[in-house]
PDB file of all heavy atoms in Angstrom:
ATOM      1  N   TYR A 255     -44.299 -27.320 -16.286  1.00 60.00           N
ATOM      2  CA  TYR A 255     -44.803 -27.496 -14.973  1.00 60.00           C
ATOM      3  C   TYR A 255     -43.747 -27.966 -13.962  1.00 60.00           C
ATOM      4  O   TYR A 255     -44.004 -28.259 -12.730  1.00 60.00           O
ATOM      5  CB  TYR A 255     -45.981 -28.379 -15.028  1.00 60.00           C
ATOM      6  CG  TYR A 255     -47.035 -28.073 -16.043  1.00 60.00           C
ATOM      7  CD1 TYR A 255     -47.104 -28.782 -17.244  1.00 60.00           C
ATOM      8  CD2 TYR A 255     -47.693 -26.899 -15.829  1.00 60.00           C
ATOM      9  CE1 TYR A 255     -47.994 -28.331 -18.213  1.00 60.00           C
ATOM     10  CE2 TYR A 255     -48.622 -26.484 -16.859  1.00 60.00           C
ATOM     11  CZ  TYR A 255     -48.721 -27.172 -18.066  1.00 60.00           C
ATOM     12  OH  TYR A 255     -49.497 -26.798 -19.086  1.00 60.00           O
ATOM     13  N   GLY A 256     -42.444 -27.892 -14.463  1.00 57.00           N
ATOM     14  CA  GLY A 256     -41.413 -28.322 -13.563  1.00 57.00           C
ATOM     15  C   GLY A 256     -40.880 -27.144 -12.737  1.00 57.00           C
ATOM     16  O   GLY A 256     -41.652 -26.234 -12.295  1.00 57.00           O
ATOM     17  N   ASP A 257     -39.586 -27.103 -12.564  1.00 52.00           N
ATOM     18  CA  ASP A 257     -38.993 -26.265 -11.481  1.00 52.00           C
ATOM     19  C   ASP A 257     -39.194 -24.821 -11.847  1.00 52.00           C
ATOM     20  O   ASP A 257     -39.494 -23.952 -10.922  1.00 52.00           O
ATOM     21  CB  ASP A 257     -37.438 -26.562 -11.435  1.00 52.00           C
ATOM     22  CG  ASP A 257     -37.261 -27.944 -10.789  1.00 52.00           C
ATOM     23  OD1 ASP A 257     -38.177 -28.405 -10.166  1.00 52.00           O
ATOM     24  OD2 ASP A 257     -36.140 -28.505 -10.918  1.00 52.00           O
ATOM     25  N   ILE A 258     -39.021 -24.428 -13.140  1.00 51.00           N
ATOM     26  CA  ILE A 258     -39.071 -23.080 -13.513  1.00 51.00           C
ATOM     27  C   ILE A 258     -40.295 -22.431 -13.117  1.00 51.00           C
ATOM     28  O   ILE A 258     -40.480 -21.460 -12.509  1.00 51.00           O
ATOM     29  CB  ILE A 258     -38.606 -22.862 -15.016  1.00 51.00           C
ATOM     30  CG1 ILE A 258     -37.246 -23.261 -15.284  1.00 51.00           C
ATOM     31  CG2 ILE A 258     -38.880 -21.442 -15.326  1.00 51.00           C
ATOM     32  CD1 ILE A 258     -36.880 -23.295 -16.732  1.00 51.00           C
ATOM     33  N   GLU A 259     -41.361 -23.174 -13.575  1.00 52.00           N
ATOM     34  CA  GLU A 259     -42.713 -22.665 -13.339  1.00 52.00           C
ATOM     35  C   GLU A 259     -43.003 -22.508 -11.867  1.00 52.00           C
ATOM     36  O   GLU A 259     -43.633 -21.637 -11.369  1.00 52.00           O
ATOM     37  CB  GLU A 259     -43.678 -23.625 -14.091  1.00 52.00           C
ATOM     38  CG  GLU A 259     -45.086 -22.974 -14.394  1.00 52.00           C
ATOM     39  CD  GLU A 259     -44.802 -21.919 -15.469  1.00 52.00           C
ATOM     40  OE1 GLU A 259     -44.087 -22.117 -16.459  1.00 52.00           O
ATOM     41  OE2 GLU A 259     -45.573 -21.012 -15.435  1.00 52.00           O
ATOM     42  N   TYR A 260     -42.442 -23.565 -11.187  1.00 48.00           N
ATOM     43  CA  TYR A 260     -42.620 -23.514  -9.757  1.00 48.00           C
ATOM     44  C   TYR A 260     -41.998 -22.394  -9.032  1.00 48.00           C
ATOM     45  O   TYR A 260     -42.677 -21.641  -8.215  1.00 48.00           O
ATOM     46  CB  TYR A 260     -42.173 -24.802  -9.027  1.00 48.00           C
ATOM     47  CG  TYR A 260     -42.401 -24.916  -7.615  1.00 48.00           C
ATOM     48  CD1 TYR A 260     -43.654 -25.052  -7.148  1.00 48.00           C
ATOM     49  CD2 TYR A 260     -41.415 -24.967  -6.736  1.00 48.00           C
ATOM     50  CE1 TYR A 260     -44.014 -25.064  -5.784  1.00 48.00           C
ATOM     51  CE2 TYR A 260     -41.645 -25.035  -5.336  1.00 48.00           C
ATOM     52  CZ  TYR A 260     -42.982 -25.030  -4.890  1.00 48.00           C
ATOM     53  OH  TYR A 260     -43.162 -25.076  -3.575  1.00 48.00           O
ATOM     54  N   ILE A 261     -40.803 -22.081  -9.464  1.00 51.00           N
ATOM     55  CA  ILE A 261     -40.038 -20.978  -8.960  1.00 51.00           C
ATOM     56  C   ILE A 261     -40.869 -19.640  -9.230  1.00 51.00           C
ATOM     57  O   ILE A 261     -41.098 -18.837  -8.405  1.00 51.00           O
ATOM     58  CB  ILE A 261     -38.624 -20.822  -9.473  1.00 51.00           C
ATOM     59  CG1 ILE A 261     -37.798 -21.921  -8.866  1.00 51.00           C
ATOM     60  CG2 ILE A 261     -37.989 -19.422  -9.211  1.00 51.00           C
ATOM     61  CD1 ILE A 261     -36.480 -22.162  -9.635  1.00 51.00           C
ATOM     62  N   GLU A 262     -41.313 -19.617 -10.458  1.00 54.00           N
ATOM     63  CA  GLU A 262     -42.079 -18.467 -10.828  1.00 54.00           C
ATOM     64  C   GLU A 262     -43.325 -18.318 -10.029  1.00 54.00           C
ATOM     65  O   GLU A 262     -43.637 -17.215  -9.652  1.00 54.00           O
ATOM     66  CB  GLU A 262     -42.400 -18.500 -12.341  1.00 54.00           C
ATOM     67  CG  GLU A 262     -42.757 -17.080 -12.875  1.00 54.00           C
ATOM     68  CD  GLU A 262     -43.341 -17.237 -14.285  1.00 54.00           C
ATOM     69  OE1 GLU A 262     -44.036 -18.132 -14.604  1.00 54.00           O
ATOM     70  OE2 GLU A 262     -43.114 -16.371 -15.033  1.00 54.00           O
ATOM     71  N   ALA A 263     -44.050 -19.414  -9.771  1.00 48.00           N
ATOM     72  CA  ALA A 263     -45.160 -19.393  -9.061  1.00 48.00           C
ATOM     73  C   ALA A 263     -44.938 -18.819  -7.649  1.00 48.00           C
ATOM     74  O   ALA A 263     -45.712 -18.073  -7.136  1.00 48.00           O
ATOM     75  CB  ALA A 263     -45.822 -20.791  -8.915  1.00 48.00           C
ATOM     76  N   ARG A 264     -43.863 -19.288  -7.078  1.00 50.00           N
ATOM     77  CA  ARG A 264     -43.519 -18.721  -5.700  1.00 50.00           C
ATOM     78  C   ARG A 264     -43.190 -17.378  -5.729  1.00 50.00           C
ATOM     79  O   ARG A 264     -43.248 -16.546  -4.705  1.00 50.00           O
ATOM     80  CB  ARG A 264     -42.460 -19.579  -5.116  1.00 50.00           C
ATOM     81  CG  ARG A 264     -42.897 -20.952  -4.579  1.00 50.00           C
ATOM     82  CD  ARG A 264     -41.883 -21.572  -3.759  1.00 50.00           C
ATOM     83  NE  ARG A 264     -40.517 -21.374  -4.337  1.00 50.00           N
ATOM     84  CZ  ARG A 264     -39.427 -21.833  -3.815  1.00 50.00           C
ATOM     85  NH1 ARG A 264     -39.416 -22.417  -2.776  1.00 50.00           N
ATOM     86  NH2 ARG A 264     -38.269 -21.668  -4.545  1.00 50.00           N
ATOM     87  N   MET A 265     -42.745 -16.930  -6.957  1.00 52.00           N
ATOM     88  CA  MET A 265     -42.287 -15.476  -6.982  1.00 52.00           C
ATOM     89  C   MET A 265     -43.471 -14.490  -7.189  1.00 52.00           C
ATOM     90  O   MET A 265     -43.249 -13.393  -7.074  1.00 52.00           O
ATOM     91  CB  MET A 265     -41.312 -15.337  -8.139  1.00 52.00           C
ATOM     92  CG  MET A 265     -39.876 -15.766  -7.764  1.00 52.00           C
ATOM     93  SD  MET A 265     -38.796 -15.468  -9.152  1.00 52.00           S
ATOM     94  CE  MET A 265     -39.180 -13.782  -9.537  1.00 52.00           C
ATOM     95  N   ILE A 266     -44.578 -15.170  -7.601  1.00 63.00           N
ATOM     96  CA  ILE A 266     -45.765 -14.270  -7.706  1.00 63.00           C
ATOM     97  C   ILE A 266     -45.838 -13.513  -6.371  1.00 63.00           C
ATOM     98  O   ILE A 266     -46.027 -14.075  -5.336  1.00 63.00           O
ATOM     99  CB  ILE A 266     -47.048 -15.078  -7.981  1.00 63.00           C
ATOM    100  CG1 ILE A 266     -46.878 -15.786  -9.263  1.00 63.00           C
ATOM    101  CG2 ILE A 266     -48.302 -14.269  -7.931  1.00 63.00           C
ATOM    102  CD1 ILE A 266     -46.756 -14.896 -10.567  1.00 63.00           C
ATOM    103  N   THR A 267     -45.925 -12.209  -6.499  1.00 68.00           N
ATOM    104  CA  THR A 267     -45.953 -11.426  -5.316  1.00 68.00           C
ATOM    105  C   THR A 267     -47.070 -11.713  -4.336  1.00 68.00           C
ATOM    106  O   THR A 267     -48.140 -12.161  -4.789  1.00 68.00           O
ATOM    107  CB  THR A 267     -46.146  -9.942  -5.765  1.00 68.00           C
ATOM    108  OG1 THR A 267     -47.437  -9.751  -6.227  1.00 68.00           O
ATOM    109  CG2 THR A 267     -45.042  -9.552  -6.806  1.00 68.00           C
ATOM    110  N   THR A 268     -46.720 -11.473  -3.172  1.00 77.00           N
ATOM    111  CA  THR A 268     -47.813 -11.751  -2.155  1.00 77.00           C
ATOM    112  C   THR A 268     -49.056 -10.838  -2.428  1.00 77.00           C
ATOM    113  O   THR A 268     -50.123 -11.157  -2.133  1.00 77.00           O
ATOM    114  CB  THR A 268     -47.323 -11.518  -0.713  1.00 77.00           C
ATOM    115  OG1 THR A 268     -46.572 -10.256  -0.814  1.00 77.00           O
ATOM    116  CG2 THR A 268     -46.449 -12.569  -0.201  1.00 77.00           C
ATOM    117  N   GLN A 269     -48.718  -9.724  -3.147  1.00 82.00           N
ATOM    118  CA  GLN A 269     -49.732  -8.807  -3.385  1.00 82.00           C
ATOM    119  C   GLN A 269     -50.778  -9.400  -4.372  1.00 82.00           C
ATOM    120  O   GLN A 269     -51.946  -9.257  -4.255  1.00 82.00           O
ATOM    121  CB  GLN A 269     -49.103  -7.567  -4.021  1.00 82.00           C
ATOM    122  CG  GLN A 269     -50.147  -6.362  -4.122  1.00 82.00           C
ATOM    123  CD  GLN A 269     -49.514  -5.042  -4.342  1.00 82.00           C
ATOM    124  OE1 GLN A 269     -48.116  -4.986  -4.444  1.00 82.00           O
ATOM    125  NE2 GLN A 269     -50.172  -4.009  -4.360  1.00 82.00           N
ATOM    126  N   ILE A 270     -50.280 -10.106  -5.388  1.00 87.00           N
ATOM    127  CA  ILE A 270     -51.123 -10.728  -6.389  1.00 87.00           C
ATOM    128  C   ILE A 270     -51.943 -11.690  -5.764  1.00 87.00           C
ATOM    129  O   ILE A 270     -53.125 -12.001  -5.923  1.00 87.00           O
ATOM    130  CB  ILE A 270     -50.314 -11.224  -7.616  1.00 87.00           C
ATOM    131  CG1 ILE A 270     -49.751 -10.042  -8.398  1.00 87.00           C
ATOM    132  CG2 ILE A 270     -51.340 -12.017  -8.490  1.00 87.00           C
ATOM    133  CD1 ILE A 270     -48.908 -10.519  -9.602  1.00 87.00           C
ATOM    134  N   GLN A 271     -51.330 -12.554  -4.799  1.00 89.00           N
ATOM    135  CA  GLN A 271     -52.042 -13.585  -4.113  1.00 89.00           C
ATOM    136  C   GLN A 271     -53.180 -12.967  -3.215  1.00 89.00           C
ATOM    137  O   GLN A 271     -54.282 -13.542  -3.137  1.00 89.00           O
ATOM    138  CB  GLN A 271     -51.162 -14.370  -3.278  1.00 89.00           C
ATOM    139  CG  GLN A 271     -51.813 -15.724  -2.849  1.00 89.00           C
ATOM    140  CD  GLN A 271     -50.933 -16.525  -1.899  1.00 89.00           C
ATOM    141  OE1 GLN A 271     -50.110 -16.039  -1.089  1.00 89.00           O
ATOM    142  NE2 GLN A 271     -50.919 -17.857  -2.114  1.00 89.00           N
ATOM    143  N   LYS A 272     -52.751 -11.884  -2.477  1.00 90.00           N
ATOM    144  CA  LYS A 272     -53.805 -11.259  -1.744  1.00 90.00           C
ATOM    145  C   LYS A 272     -55.031 -10.721  -2.587  1.00 90.00           C
ATOM    146  O   LYS A 272     -56.071 -10.943  -2.176  1.00 90.00           O
ATOM    147  CB  LYS A 272     -53.150 -10.007  -0.967  1.00 90.00           C
ATOM    148  CG  LYS A 272     -53.657  -9.793   0.406  1.00 90.00           C
ATOM    149  CD  LYS A 272     -52.710  -8.971   1.288  1.00 90.00           C
ATOM    150  CE  LYS A 272     -52.442  -7.656   0.794  1.00 90.00           C
ATOM    151  NZ  LYS A 272     -51.369  -6.948   1.501  1.00 90.00           N
ATOM    152  N   GLU A 273     -54.687 -10.175  -3.652  1.00 93.00           N
ATOM    153  CA  GLU A 273     -55.869  -9.783  -4.606  1.00 93.00           C
ATOM    154  C   GLU A 273     -56.572 -10.890  -5.069  1.00 93.00           C
ATOM    155  O   GLU A 273     -57.812 -10.808  -5.277  1.00 93.00           O
ATOM    156  CB  GLU A 273     -55.180  -8.918  -5.614  1.00 93.00           C
ATOM    157  CG  GLU A 273     -54.676  -7.509  -5.168  1.00 93.00           C
ATOM    158  CD  GLU A 273     -53.700  -6.836  -6.328  1.00 93.00           C
ATOM    159  OE1 GLU A 273     -53.593  -7.403  -7.414  1.00 93.00           O
ATOM    160  OE2 GLU A 273     -53.202  -5.790  -5.950  1.00 93.00           O
ATOM    161  N   SER A 274     -55.905 -11.955  -5.389  1.00 95.00           N
ATOM    162  CA  SER A 274     -56.651 -13.107  -5.842  1.00 95.00           C
ATOM    163  C   SER A 274     -57.540 -13.654  -4.807  1.00 95.00           C
ATOM    164  O   SER A 274     -58.671 -14.173  -5.093  1.00 95.00           O
ATOM    165  CB  SER A 274     -55.622 -14.280  -6.287  1.00 95.00           C
ATOM    166  OG  SER A 274     -54.782 -13.814  -7.346  1.00 95.00           O
ATOM    167  N   SER A 275     -57.120 -13.601  -3.629  1.00 96.00           N
ATOM    168  CA  SER A 275     -57.916 -14.108  -2.470  1.00 96.00           C
ATOM    169  C   SER A 275     -59.109 -13.239  -2.338  1.00 96.00           C
ATOM    170  O   SER A 275     -60.296 -13.641  -2.058  1.00 96.00           O
ATOM    171  CB  SER A 275     -57.115 -14.257  -1.230  1.00 96.00           C
ATOM    172  OG  SER A 275     -57.526 -13.524  -0.187  1.00 96.00           O
ATOM    173  N   MET A 276     -58.970 -11.902  -2.449  1.00 96.00           N
ATOM    174  CA  MET A 276     -60.007 -10.906  -2.488  1.00 96.00           C
ATOM    175  C   MET A 276     -61.017 -11.098  -3.550  1.00 96.00           C
ATOM    176  O   MET A 276     -62.205 -11.138  -3.283  1.00 96.00           O
ATOM    177  CB  MET A 276     -59.479  -9.470  -2.757  1.00 96.00           C
ATOM    178  CG  MET A 276     -59.442  -8.534  -1.547  1.00 96.00           C
ATOM    179  SD  MET A 276     -58.611  -6.950  -2.009  1.00 96.00           S
ATOM    180  CE  MET A 276     -59.847  -6.222  -3.057  1.00 96.00           C
ATOM    181  N   LEU A 277     -60.487 -11.442  -4.632  1.00 98.00           N
ATOM    182  CA  LEU A 277     -61.308 -11.733  -5.896  1.00 98.00           C
ATOM    183  C   LEU A 277     -62.178 -12.979  -5.709  1.00 98.00           C
ATOM    184  O   LEU A 277     -63.409 -13.008  -5.855  1.00 98.00           O
ATOM    185  CB  LEU A 277     -60.490 -11.867  -7.188  1.00 98.00           C
ATOM    186  CG  LEU A 277     -61.233 -12.213  -8.489  1.00 98.00           C
ATOM    187  CD1 LEU A 277     -62.229 -11.242  -8.816  1.00 98.00           C
ATOM    188  CD2 LEU A 277     -60.127 -12.409  -9.540  1.00 98.00           C
ATOM    189  N   ALA A 278     -61.515 -14.023  -5.144  1.00 98.00           N
ATOM    190  CA  ALA A 278     -62.186 -15.230  -4.894  1.00 98.00           C
ATOM    191  C   ALA A 278     -63.360 -15.042  -3.852  1.00 98.00           C
ATOM    192  O   ALA A 278     -64.348 -15.512  -4.024  1.00 98.00           O
ATOM    193  CB  ALA A 278     -61.261 -16.320  -4.365  1.00 98.00           C
ATOM    194  N   ALA A 279     -63.100 -14.321  -2.833  1.00 98.00           N
ATOM    195  CA  ALA A 279     -64.191 -14.032  -1.752  1.00 98.00           C
ATOM    196  C   ALA A 279     -65.296 -13.264  -2.491  1.00 98.00           C
ATOM    197  O   ALA A 279     -66.407 -13.579  -2.193  1.00 98.00           O
ATOM    198  CB  ALA A 279     -63.504 -13.225  -0.663  1.00 98.00           C
ATOM    199  N   SER A 280     -64.938 -12.362  -3.355  1.00 98.00           N
ATOM    200  CA  SER A 280     -65.994 -11.504  -3.988  1.00 98.00           C
ATOM    201  C   SER A 280     -66.852 -12.343  -5.001  1.00 98.00           C
ATOM    202  O   SER A 280     -68.088 -12.188  -5.031  1.00 98.00           O
ATOM    203  CB  SER A 280     -65.319 -10.319  -4.682  1.00 98.00           C
ATOM    204  OG  SER A 280     -66.268  -9.369  -5.051  1.00 98.00           O
ATOM    205  N   VAL A 281     -66.226 -13.249  -5.709  1.00 98.00           N
ATOM    206  CA  VAL A 281     -66.866 -14.123  -6.671  1.00 98.00           C
ATOM    207  C   VAL A 281     -67.744 -15.083  -5.950  1.00 98.00           C
ATOM    208  O   VAL A 281     -68.903 -15.287  -6.203  1.00 98.00           O
ATOM    209  CB  VAL A 281     -65.892 -14.881  -7.608  1.00 98.00           C
ATOM    210  CG1 VAL A 281     -66.515 -15.979  -8.371  1.00 98.00           C
ATOM    211  CG2 VAL A 281     -65.263 -13.876  -8.561  1.00 98.00           C
TER     212      VAL A 281
END
Side-chain angles (χ1 to χ4, degrees):
Y255 308 106
D257 292 343
I258 293 170
E259 204 67 36
Y260 183 65
I261 290 166
E262 199 193 32
R264 280 193 318 178
M265 278 181 55
I266 292 301
T267 66
T268 44
Q269 196 164 358
I270 295 179
Q271 194 182 38
K272 215 157 62 188
E273 288 162 8
S274 297
S275 121
M276 248 176 77
L277 174 60
S280 195
V281 165

